[in-house]
């Protein structure tokens, strides 16, 4: 194996790799340098290096939604033999493997999943008489949100990312963007229900529009201009890092259901680690050894969760006491128990090489819906027709 390698990642995930790299170096004597980049920049650079055949690091992060497109570049190392040799296939959440593989092999090792919670400002809810434990449905959530004072947004619906909320709610209902035979399915009855709910949220007047991951967004989360946030478990680490002055002021509940007794589990995000086919065999083997150490050991995965809230797809880690400990940032709430329960009930979701077209189409046509130019049903139908036309697929 090579004596030194480099790894690419973004945000707190890259910081997590720095933690595991330090422990790995102590254990093996090999050197691992971690490069932290912006997510978009890293994706562009890595995909470019895969297509050109040069410039790639030994290993790099890869999100679930973009995995099929990256696998399709034929630039990733097939690690199926190493996975089988290490006996790892059954130790990860089963739904993580689908976007990483094709008929010939497996091109990454799962890292995290994003069981979704509705993070809320505990202080603002208490001050305005909102009891989050009584909120079971989205309609109740909207009604309770009317108690917030003017200028405080109940929920952010960003105009540059309607797809984010739509996808979480669509998956919550068990919706699939594509059928098994690849037909476009984002105009289904479940998608219409999601569009209608988002329109009700928007029309309630209790939402705001802040581009996520911007300074204004973090400022709004920090000063209470946004009172709640629907996101994956990994958001806890981001909140701790970016709005540390709000420690103790947050709590989290399961996403509200569409109807009383309905499903409250969904997923947002999730990443993996990959090895580029272009690197030497010695570097590839060292990269695999580092990935296995970081992502497939209880010690490292619980260490990462404890520090940054990145929720493991490696199931043996769930036995750790860290998932039943009180979290000071969340007012002492044992949020690990909530996220573990959500994780066990997340419906599967079918990503394809056309996933990016779905994102673009939903953002465009839900925007027209919010502007009252089309109905919710027409908005998702128009989005489906756009995806079908641009990807040469048929409608379900």
């Amino acid at each position: 194996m090579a004596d030194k390698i480099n790894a690419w990642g973004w945000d707190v995930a890259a910081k997590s790799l720095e933690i595991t790299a330090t422990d790995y170096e102590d254990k093996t004597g090999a050197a691992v340098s971690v490069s932290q980049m912006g997510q978009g920049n890293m994706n562009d650079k890595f995909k470019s290096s895969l297509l050109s055949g040069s410039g790639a690091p030994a290993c790099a992060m890869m999100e679930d939604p973009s995995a099929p497109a990256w696998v399709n570049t034929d630039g990733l190392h097939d690690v199926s033999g190493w996975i089988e040799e290490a006996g790892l296939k059954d130790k990860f959440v089963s739904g993580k493997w689908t976007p990483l593989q094709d008929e010939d092999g497996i091109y990454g090792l799962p890292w995290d999943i994003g069981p979704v919670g509705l993070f809320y400002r505990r202080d603002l809810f208490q001050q305005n008489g909102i009891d989050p434990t009584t909120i079971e449905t989205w309609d109740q959530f909207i009604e309770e949100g009317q108690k917030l004072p003017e200028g405080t947004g109940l929920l952010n619906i960003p105009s540059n990312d309607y797809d984010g909320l739509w996808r979480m709610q669509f998956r919550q209902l068990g919706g699939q963007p594509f059928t098994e035979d690849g037909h476009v399915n984002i105009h289904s009855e479940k998608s219409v229900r999601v569009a209608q709910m988002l329109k009700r949220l928007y029309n309630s007047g209790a939402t705001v529009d802040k581009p996520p991951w911007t300074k204004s967004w973090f400022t709004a989360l920090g000063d209470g201009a946004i009172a709640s946030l629907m996101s994956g478990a990994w958001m806890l680490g981001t909140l701790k890092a970016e709005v540390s002055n709000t420690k103790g002021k947050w709590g989290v509940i399961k996403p509200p259901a569409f109807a009383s007794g309905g499903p409250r589990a969904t997923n947002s995000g999730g990443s993996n680690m990959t090895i580029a086919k272009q690197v030497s065999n010695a570097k590839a083997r060292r990269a695999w050894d580092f990935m296995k150490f970081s992502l497939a050991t209880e010690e490292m995965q619980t260490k990462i969760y404890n520090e940054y809230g990145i929720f493991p797809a490696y199931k043996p880690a769930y036995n750790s006491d860290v998932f039943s400990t009180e979290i000071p940032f969340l007012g002492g709430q044992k949020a690990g128990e909530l996220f573990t329960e959500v994780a066990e009930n997340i419906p599967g979701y079918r990503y394809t090489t056309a996933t990016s077209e779905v994102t673009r189409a939903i953002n465009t046509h839900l925007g027209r819906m919010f502007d009252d130019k089309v109905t919710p049903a027409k908005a998702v139908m128009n989005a489906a027709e756009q995806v079908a036309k641009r990807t040469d697929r048929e409608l379900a």
Side-chain angles (χ1 to χ4, degrees):
M1 288 190 280
D3 293 333
K4 58 182 178 181
I5 58 169
N6 59 336
W8 288 1
W10 60 79
D11 199 49
V12 293
K15 295 178 181 177
S16 300
L17 290 179
E18 291 174 352
I19 292 175
T20 65
T22 299
D23 285 9
Y24 184 77
E25 289 174 347
D26 291 341
K27 179 185 176 186
T28 66
V32 179
S33 63
V34 178
S35 298
Q36 180 179 349
M37 308 179 195
Q39 182 178 358
N41 184 35
M42 202 218 88
N43 282 339
D44 291 343
K45 288 184 67 172
F46 191 56
K47 191 168 185 179
S48 175
S49 68
L50 295 183
L51 292 170
S52 67
S54 65
C59 54
M61 288 178 61
M62 177 178 71
E63 272 193 310
D64 287 354
S66 57
W70 288 26
V71 168
N72 199 46
T73 64
D74 194 33
L76 297 177
H77 195 98
D78 178 6
V79 296
S80 57
W82 290 336
I83 290 170
E84 183 176 356
E85 181 180 306
L88 293 176
K89 191 71 182 289
D90 295 334
K91 293 184 177 179
F92 286 87
V93 174
S94 59
K96 285 291 290 185
W97 294 108
T98 303
L100 299 179
Q101 59 191 16
D102 61 16
E103 62 275 13
D104 297 319
I106 302 174
Y107 303 92
L109 188 62
W111 184 342
D112 67 303
I113 57 176
V116 168
L118 186 75
F119 294 87
Y120 65 92
R121 283 290 296 261
R122 187 182 298 274
D123 55 336
L124 295 176
F125 273 36
Q126 287 177 344
Q127 290 165 17
N128 293 283
I130 301 173
D131 181 358
T133 64
T134 65
I135 296 174
E136 185 186 357
T137 67
W138 282 109
D139 286 329
Q140 290 172 336
F141 177 70
I142 294 171
E143 184 178 347
E144 289 296 297
Q146 302 302 316
K147 298 177 180 176
L148 292 170
E150 188 174 347
T152 299
L154 173 63
L155 190 69
N156 188 34
I157 301 184
S159 53
N160 66 340
D161 187 29
Y162 297 141
D163 167 71
L165 269 176
W166 172 84
R167 186 188 302 173
M168 283 187 276
Q169 293 191 336
F170 188 44
R171 189 167 180 172
Q172 180 181 346
L173 289 175
Q176 289 287 353
F178 301 94
T179 60
E180 288 186 8
D181 54 6
H183 292 178
V184 180
N185 193 40
I186 60 174
H187 56 307
S188 67
E189 177 269 342
K190 291 174 180 174
S191 183
V192 173
R193 288 182 68 190
V194 171
Q196 291 170 335
M197 183 58 72
L198 290 176
K199 189 72 163 70
R200 287 210 290 278
L201 271 164
Y202 187 86
N203 286 351
S204 74
T207 63
V208 293
D209 176 6
K210 299 285 186 185
W213 308 105
T214 61
K215 184 177 180 180
S216 64
W217 183 65
F218 283 120
T219 298
L221 293 173
D223 65 16
I226 298 176
S228 70
L229 172 70
M230 188 168 166
S231 184
W234 43 263
M235 181 55 69
L236 173 59
T238 299
L239 292 174
K240 289 166 69 176
E242 301 292 345
V243 288
S244 58
N245 61 320
T246 59
K247 179 180 178 180
K249 296 182 178 179
W250 291 88
V252 63
I253 59 173
K254 293 179 185 176
F258 278 71
S260 181
R264 300 182 67 175
T266 186
N267 187 79
S268 175
S271 60
N272 317 277
M273 291 292 289
T274 65
I275 301 171
K277 187 188 288 186
Q278 63 191 252
V279 304
S280 69
N281 186 54
K283 284 189 175 181
R285 285 187 172 279
R286 178 61 73 185
W288 169 253
D289 198 55
F290 172 62
M291 287 161 48
K292 191 172 57 168
F293 175 81
S294 300
L295 312 184
T297 63
E298 180 179 334
E299 180 186 3
M300 289 300 105
Q301 283 299 288
T302 54
K303 202 168 189 175
I304 290 170
Y305 173 77
N306 205 31
E307 184 67 26
Y308 291 115
I310 296 177
F311 201 88
Y314 181 65
K315 293 186 292 186
Y318 299 165
N319 297 322
S320 170
D321 291 340
V322 73
F323 292 99
S324 58
T325 58
E326 296 180 350
I327 300 175
F329 192 85
L330 297 177
Q333 185 177 353
K334 297 178 179 178
E337 294 178 346
L338 180 148
F339 288 127
T340 301
E341 186 178 339
V342 170
E344 293 173 349
N345 293 287
I346 296 172
Y349 199 74
R350 194 169 292 118
Y351 293 110
T352 73
T353 55
T355 294
S356 60
E357 287 293 346
V358 173
T359 297
R360 281 189 279 272
I362 288 293
N363 282 335
T364 297
H365 294 286
L366 288 193
R368 290 175 54 79
M369 176 189 76
F370 290 133
D371 290 339
D372 291 325
K373 294 180 179 175
V374 292
T375 65
K378 184 63 175 173
V380 295
M381 175 56 79
N382 287 347
E385 289 175 345
Q386 178 176 313
V387 174
K389 182 178 180 181
R390 293 187 178 181
T391 63
D392 198 26
R393 294 170 184 254
E394 296 180 8
L395 293 179

